[in-house]
């Protein structure tokens, strides 16, 4: 498994989940080992014949594809079933007491022969795959069961109420299946002996009685009902809640990610045994200070874990000093404001503090940490906090994770960070640091560092020492600083690197030492890097985002780039690359975004492009020296939404098959992100946490804008400034979702397609500087969103169709035509000057029309180019503003707007493991 990067609290949880699963993966062989040792011990116990037969029947019901039950055989030499794998017998009577068959790769069904094992107390079938079958009702007849684990066994359907008959059950785990309940949880109230109950990920949204039922279970110590869609804790279902002492033994209560509303029930505070209270991800609200006061019963001395993240709590931070045992405080993503009390510094057991994504303000100083010697995780990101410490402050803690994004730490580099030698994660991005990086920090770099995020500061100067000693973090983000000098040396196992928007210079060659094969993300855009690209891309087979835009790279693209079969995004724009369209890219069949714009590429646009890169969504070749004609094969790119061939030497005609660009013809998913979160899928081979937003330079309304976040909403064809000839195919009118069409500055002839008015989403249409002739189609007046139009310098004639839209444009948008008339041009049309005459309806009428046309042409042929009617230009700009109703035209000022970084997990290794065990 590769390591990761993120800066958000929620992705932290995702990370934890993955780490947890990975742990389980490693644990599995150990479990198997333990159970086989147990079996060997029971050598001299004899198994009962009837029970052996029952086990063989049970095996026949199972699908044992991996032979995990191969020791369960009927032959004489295997007669003693107490020696079979996973079977444990009583050492007195030989009865089968336990079946430990978790993680055994079993499928098929659970045979009722289990009932022939009357002494069974322990049944573990977790982590198998029962193919969405139901929990059999007969399990409820295994009356001696004390332990039942059916978690993560691909079971679905309702939980049989017969489980309520298991009155000796102490442990019940049904989590992580696709189970539900029919009506209520009444059956659960009969499990008098239950101590540990895990129903997480069960659909309990109809269980209005849940709190009443579980709170009455006298021995319950651990309750997990996270992710159960639990309804709010209504008083109606809970009649005696002030009189009786409920939850008398409860230590651990997990209710995160449900639909709980309002406050925290006061009686939770009266559970004197309560150690963990996890209520994150609900809709709890109110002043946190008051809500916490409700917990000030005897639980205040026992409480160690208080998780209230992702709720709607308001007001200031409470005085947590009244909970002296607290180890974990998690208030991530609430609506808290005000300053933090220094009393928090007295919580000497505190290990984990997360108040990120609130609106806290003020100064955090040494006093806030005075006794926090056990603090390991500190998350203060995304508030308005200022961290001010004495330059020589030696914190009492050694942090593991430090998330301080957007806390003010600068202007000098926070020296105390140098004392944190055990740290794995540092995020001090957006921290107003305008300093150099202390040389001694890099000389004694924290050896366990996995993530380093210093982005969006004003850190300047050279990176100290880094040409000798590699930066060992796996994910490094130094984006948007003023760093300079050659590229530093990085760990061979680097997985994600962003150095964009700095002043790094020199060649890319130092990066060739990153050869651990883990690199998934590389963003070097907007630096001063130069020279030819080294041919070392073979070291990065898992690369899926490569952004080298805005540098001074030159020469041809090396052949090894073609080995990047996972590559999804390739941005090379604004460099000096030359040579033909890189043939090696033919193998980058995952590519969705390709921007080669503003380089010196030449040669023909290859015909293989559609076959080789069938996933393309964005294809930008703008401003190069490409020549030849547009291959008709390009029409096979059915996902294409942005096609920009402008500013090249492309000649020939525009292919008629344009209507095959189905992504431009259909609405599709309305997602502003280009890939609709596809990265998160399993197909690309990666699990990607966080979002990288592709951005591209888009020409709109005559200006170039950088588009990031909302690129996915645009559908664009730009063929401007080439040598294209022939007609504009009428098929263009079927690209109904097109937003921008620019064919200006070519040699196009013929009429403007009559049906162009079908392109209802069109906001920008530029056909200027061609030889289009005939009249402007009247359908054009239907283009209500059109805010940029240019038809100037063609051979158009006749009256400009009337509509608020068309007359709203500046006259310059129509000038230079053969014989156009009517507003906004000053030239009046003949019909407006002379009163309308009744036309003869005989065959002669056509000739009359013809004559009129000839007259118009003659009349207007020499009439003035270049009138600007100031009235219309004022109005025009007003209309333009109005039409900005679409949010996506509010382009972003923040270009490389990637929110948090990405991580690559190799599908082949990790995903298959998940699936196998599921
Ligand atoms: C039999 O098992 C019990 C507990 O199950 C254990 O305490 C006892 O030592 C065992 N006796 C033998 C002879 O293994
Ligand atoms: C089941 O079989 C698989 C594949 O042989 C093995 O990896 C796994 O450890 C086995 N599990 C147990 C509990 O024996
Ligand atoms: C799973 O169940 C489905 C439908 O009941 C069945 O078609 C399929 O063959 C089963 N798969 C296995 C592996 O048993
Ligand atoms: C869960 O079960 C419901 C029916 O109870 C079914 O519609 C749904 O597809 C199942 N989900 C999964 C992931 O198996
Ligand atoms: C906190 O927010 C509330 C509600 O928005 C506001 O009334 C109060 O003044 C704020 N307090 C501080 C200290 O900013
Ligand atoms: C460093 O972190 C590890 C866990 O990652 C912890 O066990 C160890 O105690 C820490 N060392 C120090 C000096 O804090
Ligand atoms: C356009 O699409 C049609 C139907 O999907 C297909 O038959 C045809 O070959 C395509 N044409 C081109 C040039 O891709």
């Amino acid at each position: 498994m590769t390591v990761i990067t993120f800066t958000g609290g929620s992705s932290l949880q995702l990370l934890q989940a993955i780490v947890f699963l990975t742990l389980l993966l490693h644990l599995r062989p150990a479990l198997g080992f333990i159970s086989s040792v147990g079996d060997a011990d029971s050598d001299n116990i004899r198994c009962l014949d009837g029970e052996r037969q029952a086990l063989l029947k049970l095996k026949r019901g199972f699908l044992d594809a991996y032979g995990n039950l191969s020791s369960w055989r009927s032959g004489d030499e295997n007669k003693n079933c107490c020696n079979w794998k996973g079977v444990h017998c009583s050492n007195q009577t030989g009865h089968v007491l336990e079946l430990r068959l978790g993680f055994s790769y079993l499928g098929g069904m659970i045979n009722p022969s289990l009932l022939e094992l009357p002494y069974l107390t322990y049944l573990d079938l977790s982590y198998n795959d029962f193919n969405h079958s139901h929990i059999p009702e007969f399990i409820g007849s295994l009356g001696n069961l004390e332990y039942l684990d059916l978690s993560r066994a691909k079971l679905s359907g309702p939980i049989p109420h017969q489980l309520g008959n298991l009155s000796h059950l102490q442990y019940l785990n049904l989590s992580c299946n696709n189970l539900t309940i029919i009506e209520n949880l009444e059956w659960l109230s009969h499990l008098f002996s239950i101590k540990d109950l895990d129903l997480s990920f069960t659909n309990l949204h109809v269980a209005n009685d849940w709190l009443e039922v579980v709170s009455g279970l006298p021995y319950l110590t651990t309750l997990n009902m996270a992710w159960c869609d639990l309804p709010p804790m209504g008083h109606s279902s809970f009649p005696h809640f002030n009189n009786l002492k409920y939850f008398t033994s409860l230590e651990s209560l997990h209710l995160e990610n449900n639909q709980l509303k309002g406050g925290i029930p006061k009686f939770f505070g009266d559970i004197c045994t309560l150690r963990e209270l996890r209520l994150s991800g609900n809709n709890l609200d109110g002043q946190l200070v008051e809500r916490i006061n409700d917990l000030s019963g005897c639980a205040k001395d026992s409480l160690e874990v208080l998780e209230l993240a992702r709720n709607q709590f308001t007001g200031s931070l409470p005085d947590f000093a009244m909970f002296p045992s607290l180890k974990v405080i998690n208030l991530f993503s609430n609506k808290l404001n005000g300053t933090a009390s220094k009393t928090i510094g007295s919580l000497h057991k505190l290990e984990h503090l997360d108040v990120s994504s609130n609106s806290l303000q003020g100064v955090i100083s040494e006093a806030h940490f005075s006794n926090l010697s056990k603090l390991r995780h500190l998350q203060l990101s995304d508030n308005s906090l200022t961290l001010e410490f004495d330059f020589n402050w030696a914190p009492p803690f050694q942090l593991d994770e430090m998330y301080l994004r957007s806390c003010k730490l600068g202007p000098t580099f926070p020296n105390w960070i140098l004392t944190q030698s055990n740290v794995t994660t540092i995020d001090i991005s957006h921290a107003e640091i305008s300093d150099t990086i202390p040389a001694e920090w890099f000389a004694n770099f924290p050896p366990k560092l996995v993530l380093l995020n210093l982005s969006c500061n004003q850190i300047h100067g050279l990176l100290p020492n880094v040409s000798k000693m590699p930066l060992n973090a796996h994910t490094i983000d130094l984006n948007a600083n003023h760093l300079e000098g050659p590229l530093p040396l990085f760990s061979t196992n680097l997985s994600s690197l962003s150095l964009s928007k700095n002043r790094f210079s020199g060649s890319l060659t130092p990066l060739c030492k990153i050869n651990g094969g883990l690199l998934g993300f590389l963003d070097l855009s907007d630096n001063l890097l130069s020279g030819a690209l080294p041919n070392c891309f073979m070291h990065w087979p898992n690369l899926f985002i490569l952004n080298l835009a805005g540098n001074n790279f030159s020469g041809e693209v090396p052949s090894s780039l073609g080995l990047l079969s996972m590559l999804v995004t390739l941005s090379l724009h604004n460099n000096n690359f030359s040579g033909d369209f890189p043939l090696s890219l033919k193998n980058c069949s995952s590519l969705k975004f390709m921007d080669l714009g503003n380089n010196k590429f030449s040669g023909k646009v290859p015909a293989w492009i559609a076959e080789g890169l069938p996933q393309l969504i964005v294809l930008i070749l703008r401003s190069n020296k490409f020549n030849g004609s547009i291959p008709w094969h390009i029409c096979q790119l059915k996902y294409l939404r942005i096609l920009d061939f402008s500013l090249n030497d492309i000649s020939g005609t525009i292919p008629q098959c344009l209507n095959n660009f189905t992504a431009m013809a259909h609405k599709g998913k309305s997602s502003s992100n280009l890939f609709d979160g596809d990265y998160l899928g399993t197909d690309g081979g990666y699990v990607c946490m966080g979002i990288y937003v592709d951005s591209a330079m888009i020409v709109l309304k005559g200006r170039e804008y950088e588009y990031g976040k909302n690129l996915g909403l645009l559908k664009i064809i730009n063929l401007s400034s080439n040598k294209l000839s022939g007609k504009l195919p009428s098929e263009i009118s079927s690209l109904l979702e097109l937003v921008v069409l620019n064919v200006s500055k070519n040699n196009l002839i013929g009429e403007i397609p009559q049906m162009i008015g079908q392109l209802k989403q069109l906001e920008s249409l530029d056909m200027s500087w061609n030889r289009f002739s005939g009249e402007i189609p009247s359908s054009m007046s239907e283009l209500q969103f059109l805010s940029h139009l240019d038809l100037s310098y063609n051979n158009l004639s006749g009256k400009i169709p009337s509509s608020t839209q068309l007359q709203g444009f500046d006259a310059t948008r129509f000038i230079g035509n053969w014989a156009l008339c009517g507003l906004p041009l000053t030239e009046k049309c003949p019909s407006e000057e002379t009163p309308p005459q009744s036309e003869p309806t005989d065959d002669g009428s056509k000739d009359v029309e013809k004559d009129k046309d000839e007259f118009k042409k003659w009349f207007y042929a020499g009439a003035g180019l270049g009138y600007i009617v100031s009235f219309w230009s004022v109005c025009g700009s007003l209309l333009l503003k109005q039409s900005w109703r679409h949010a996506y035209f509010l382009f972003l000022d923040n270009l490389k707007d990637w929110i948090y970084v990405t991580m690559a997990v190799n599908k082949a290794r990790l995903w298959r493991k998940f699936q196998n065990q599921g």
Side-chain angles (χ1 to χ4, degrees):
M1 169 171 162
T2 329
V3 184
I4 305 183
T5 102
F6 47 79
T7 50
S10 53
S11 49
L12 170 68
Q13 270 143 5
L14 206 49
L15 171 65
Q16 283 167 344
I18 291 223
V19 169
F20 174 61
L21 287 169
T22 316
L23 266 178
L24 286 178
L25 289 171
H26 287 109
L27 220 57
R28 192 174 48 207
L31 290 175
F33 177 70
I34 290 165
S35 72
S36 55
V37 169
D39 293 342
D41 272 356
S42 48
D43 242 3
N44 44 7
I45 315 156
R46 305 306 310 172
C47 159
L48 281 87
D49 197 51
E51 298 193 0
R52 183 176 59 244
Q53 295 306 330
L55 288 174
L56 288 171
K57 267 190 250 169
L58 182 66
K59 178 181 172 179
R60 262 175 258 138
F62 288 143
L63 228 154
D64 181 20
Y66 289 82
N68 290 54
L69 301 186
S70 57
S71 59
W72 293 32
R73 272 180 283 136
S74 48
D76 269 357
E77 72 280 18
N78 284 295
K79 230 176 154 104
N80 190 358
C81 68
C82 297
N83 291 342
W84 293 357
K85 190 155 193 180
V87 180
H88 296 248
C89 298
S90 158
N91 59 11
Q92 314 279 306
T93 64
H95 284 298
V96 174
L97 301 183
E98 304 186 356
L99 285 179
R100 297 177 180 257
L101 301 175
F103 291 110
S104 294
Y105 290 71
L106 298 174
M109 49 95 70
I110 306 170
N111 194 289
S113 66
L114 268 183
L115 296 174
E116 294 158 38
L117 304 171
Y119 294 89
L120 199 64
T121 58
Y122 188 111
L123 178 59
D124 178 2
L125 292 170
S126 62
Y127 287 82
N128 287 297
D129 181 353
F130 294 115
N131 190 16
H132 306 288
S133 60
H134 291 196
I135 299 180
E137 289 172 6
F138 65 76
I139 300 266
S141 305
L142 296 169
N144 283 316
L145 273 191
E146 293 169 10
Y147 184 104
L148 177 58
D149 189 349
L150 299 176
S151 63
R152 221 174 267 269
K154 277 222 185 124
L155 291 161
S156 58
I159 301 173
H161 62 84
Q162 285 85 349
L163 292 194
N165 297 338
L166 300 174
S167 57
H168 298 292
L169 209 57
Q170 297 177 18
Y171 177 98
L172 175 61
N173 190 348
L174 303 178
S175 65
C176 302
N177 286 292
N178 185 16
L179 297 168
T180 181
I181 57 162
I182 300 287
E183 198 178 347
N184 55 40
L185 283 173
E186 199 273 335
W187 58 273
L188 201 54
S189 62
H190 303 289
L191 299 183
F192 303 115
S193 313
I194 199 84
K195 291 180 179 164
D196 194 333
L197 177 60
D198 190 344
L199 296 179
S200 54
F201 293 92
T202 299
N203 186 344
L204 300 180
H205 82 276
V206 297
N208 289 312
D209 59 342
W210 70 271
L211 188 54
E212 184 184 7
V213 168
V214 294
S215 61
L217 296 168
Y219 301 106
L220 197 63
T221 56
T222 301
L223 174 65
N224 191 341
M225 287 187 163
W227 298 96
C228 286
D229 211 0
L230 284 176
M233 302 178 266
H235 289 218
S236 55
S237 65
F238 207 46
H240 313 296
F241 104 97
N242 276 325
N243 306 336
L244 287 170
K245 270 263 161 117
Y246 284 87
F247 279 141
T248 43
S249 313
L250 196 69
E251 295 178 12
S252 183
L253 182 56
H254 296 251
L255 297 174
E256 55 267 44
N257 301 300
N258 285 294
Q259 301 179 28
L260 308 182
K261 282 192 232 169
I264 304 170
K266 206 169 163 63
F267 79 100
F268 284 6
D270 296 327
I271 307 171
C272 306
T273 44
L274 194 65
R275 290 190 295 106
E276 291 181 49
L277 181 57
R278 300 185 194 261
L279 296 170
S280 296
N282 283 289
N283 287 312
L284 301 171
D285 58 12
Q287 296 276 324
L288 188 62
V289 173
E290 287 167 25
R291 297 311 195 194
I292 289 291
N293 268 332
D294 286 347
L295 289 178
S296 61
C298 56
K300 72 178 190 302
D301 295 315
S302 57
L303 203 62
E304 295 176 5
V305 176
L306 183 60
E307 300 239 15
L308 302 175
R310 291 178 288 115
N311 280 289
Q312 316 284 332
F313 290 115
T314 53
S316 54
L317 277 181
D319 180 3
F320 286 109
M322 70 183 188
F323 302 100
S325 307
L326 273 182
K327 293 180 177 169
V328 175
I329 299 176
N330 189 351
L331 297 170
F332 162 71
S333 192
N334 276 282
K335 295 174 170 169
L336 302 171
N337 65 4
T339 56
S341 157
K342 290 177 176 140
T343 55
I344 204 163
S346 69
L347 295 173
H348 63 283
K349 292 184 176 166
L350 198 65
E351 296 169 10
H352 186 120
L353 176 63
D354 187 349
V355 295
S356 43
S357 297
N358 281 287
S359 303
L360 300 171
Q361 319 157 354
V363 175
I364 302 285
S365 63
E366 287 91 337
H368 288 91
F369 299 102
S370 53
N371 283 326
L372 304 189
S373 61
K374 297 221 163 97
L375 196 65
R376 294 286 170 269
H377 305 265
L378 177 61
Q379 309 192 193
L380 306 177
S381 295
D382 300 328
N383 284 287
S384 302
L385 294 168
T386 300
L387 273 59
E388 260 176 34
F389 305 111
D390 187 84
F391 183 79
N392 291 317
W393 181 51
F397 49 72
Q398 282 291 335
L399 293 180
D400 176 356
E401 294 181 315
M402 178 196 305
Y403 288 98
L404 305 176
R405 180 181 58 219
S406 77
C407 291
K408 185 175 185 297
L409 296 167
T412 50
F413 194 89
N415 198 46
W416 62 272
I417 287 180
L418 275 60
T419 66
Q420 301 300 300
S421 55
N422 208 18
V423 67
T424 61
T425 308
I426 297 180
D427 181 352
I428 48 174
S429 57
H430 295 271
E432 298 182 35
I433 301 170
S434 48
D435 198 354
T436 55
I437 295 180
E440 49 199 297
W441 191 37
F442 274 22
N444 300 296
F445 210 53
K448 292 200 237 161
L449 199 67
V450 170
L451 176 133
L452 176 65
N453 187 349
L454 304 179
S455 66
C456 304
N457 284 290
Q458 289 109 46
I459 300 172
H460 54 88
L462 297 162
L463 292 180
N465 277 337
V466 287
S467 53
K468 296 182 204 98
M469 202 136 48
L471 279 176
N472 58 315
H474 292 227
T475 290
I476 296 181
D477 187 352
L478 306 178
N479 159 49
N481 280 289
H482 304 312
L483 292 163
E484 55 192 87
L487 289 176
L489 211 58
F490 293 100
S491 152
T492 55
N493 284 333
L494 190 74
S495 66
S496 169
L497 177 64
S498 173
L499 302 178
S500 75
K501 291 196 200 154
N502 278 286
R503 295 182 198 140
F504 286 107
S505 55
S507 129
L508 194 93
T509 310
L511 298 191
C512 292
K513 300 216 170 92
I514 306 169
N515 59 10
L518 300 180
L519 193 66
F521 180 100
L522 181 59
D523 184 355
L524 304 176
S525 59
D526 300 309
N527 278 285
L528 305 170
L529 298 166
S530 58
L533 295 184
N535 198 17
C536 67
F537 288 84
M538 62 289 239
H539 298 319
W540 306 332
N542 286 317
L543 198 63
F544 64 100
I545 292 180
L546 176 61
N547 189 346
L548 303 177
N551 282 287
N552 212 1
F553 289 117
S554 55
E556 298 195 5
V557 170
S559 59
S560 59
L561 198 70
L563 299 173
L564 303 182
S565 60
M566 300 290 192
L567 200 64
V568 174
T569 289
L570 173 64
S571 189
L572 301 179
H573 77 244
N574 282 5
N575 279 287
N576 277 313
F577 287 112
S578 56
D580 284 352
F581 192 99
L583 182 63
S584 53
L585 290 181
K586 204 172 177 173
N587 299 325
C588 301
S589 56
S590 308
L591 263 185
K592 297 187 176 183
F593 179 103
M594 177 156 76
D595 186 351
L596 306 183
N598 291 50
N599 280 288
K600 292 180 180 146
F601 286 112
S602 53
K604 292 187 174 167
V605 180
W608 54 257
I609 197 163
E611 208 181 321
L613 311 175
Q615 314 276 339
L616 276 183
I617 298 175
V618 174
L619 173 58
I620 299 177
L621 305 182
R622 177 180 169 74
S623 192
N624 278 285
K625 294 175 179 162
F626 286 111
N627 53 37
S629 57
I630 302 177
W632 59 265
H633 307 76
I634 206 158
C635 299
Q636 291 161 2
L637 293 172
K638 59 176 185 235
Y639 302 115
L640 204 63
R641 287 188 236 157
I642 296 181
L643 172 71
D644 187 345
F645 283 2
S646 61
L647 292 158
N648 280 288
D649 286 326
I650 297 172
S651 53
T653 56
I654 300 175
Q656 270 185 10
C657 54
L658 284 176
N659 50 343
N660 275 28
F661 290 138
T662 43
M664 300 200 205
H666 300 297
K667 216 174 184 69
K669 282 179 276 178
S670 61
S671 164
S672 56
N673 281 332
L674 197 53
F675 303 144
D676 304 336
D678 284 359
Y679 286 145
L680 210 64
T682 57
D683 292 341
Y686 297 95
V687 177
C688 164
M689 299 189 187
I691 303 164
Y692 166 85
V693 179
D694 282 298
S695 66
M697 300 303 296
I698 299 298
V699 182
L700 275 177
K701 305 172 189 175
R703 278 182 61 194
E704 220 177 8
Y705 296 105
E706 177 113 25
Y707 261 76
K709 256 185 199 154
N710 296 311
L711 196 58
L713 294 174
L714 292 178
K715 308 208 168 164
I716 297 177
I717 292 183
N718 187 349
L719 303 174
S720 158
S721 305
N722 280 289
K723 295 176 178 154
L724 294 167
S725 55
K727 292 182 166 188
L728 178 62
S730 60
E731 283 79 0
I732 196 114
S733 315
S734 56
L735 303 183
L736 299 181
E737 298 294 317
L738 206 58
V739 177
V740 177
L741 175 62
N742 188 347
V743 293
S744 64
K745 300 184 183 140
N746 281 289
N747 296 317
L748 298 173
I749 55 169
E751 297 195 336
I752 298 175
Q754 289 302 314
M755 308 293 277
I756 195 135
Q758 286 184 169
L759 305 182
K760 293 274 189 295
Q761 306 301 323
L762 214 53
E763 304 218 3
S764 176
L765 174 62
D766 193 343
M767 309 180 94
S768 62
W769 296 96
N770 280 288
R771 290 189 280 135
F772 288 113
S773 56
E775 299 198 8
I776 298 176
S778 60
S779 73
M780 207 181 265
S781 60
E782 291 158 28
L783 298 176
Q784 291 183 20
F785 294 155
L786 203 61
S787 59
H788 176 83
L789 173 71
D790 199 343
L791 300 178
S792 61
Y793 302 99
N794 280 291
N795 293 338
L796 298 168
S797 57
K799 183 175 188 296
I800 298 173
S802 319
S803 74
T804 10
Q805 217 66 22
L806 292 184
Q807 269 69 43
F809 291 107
D810 194 290
T812 52
R813 305 308 186 193
F814 298 96
I815 58 170
N817 274 292
W818 168 236
L820 273 183
C821 63
L823 289 173
L825 292 172
T826 45
E827 293 86 350
K828 290 212 166 49
C829 295
S831 60
E832 289 164 348
E833 290 185 323
T834 43
Q837 296 162 354
S838 55
E839 307 278 354
T841 51
D842 61 20
D843 284 346
S845 68
K846 275 185 182 155
D847 292 336
V848 175
E849 284 294 314
K850 222 175 185 175
D851 288 347
K852 261 169 87 178
D853 273 351
E854 286 302 316
F855 172 75
K856 273 193 257 173
K857 281 177 192 165
W858 172 80
F859 187 78
Y860 286 113
L865 309 173
Y867 264 96
I868 299 172
V869 184
S870 59
F871 171 76
W872 282 113
S873 55
V874 170
C875 258
S877 63
L878 280 178
L879 283 171
L880 202 109
K881 283 247 165 63
Q882 259 174 27
S883 70
W884 284 1
R885 56 195 163 281
H886 290 287
Y888 51 88
F889 276 91
L890 299 172
F891 60 93
L892 301 169
D893 45 356
N894 194 355
L895 106 114
K896 284 315 303 329
D897 192 329
W898 51 284
I899 300 168
Y900 30 86
V901 202
T902 47
M903 150 204 186
V905 175
N906 189 301
K907 173 192 179 186
R909 277 192 272 144
L910 190 62
W911 193 255
R912 201 172 305 140
K913 276 186 185 175
F914 284 169
Q915 297 216 311
N916 281 351
Q917 74 185 21

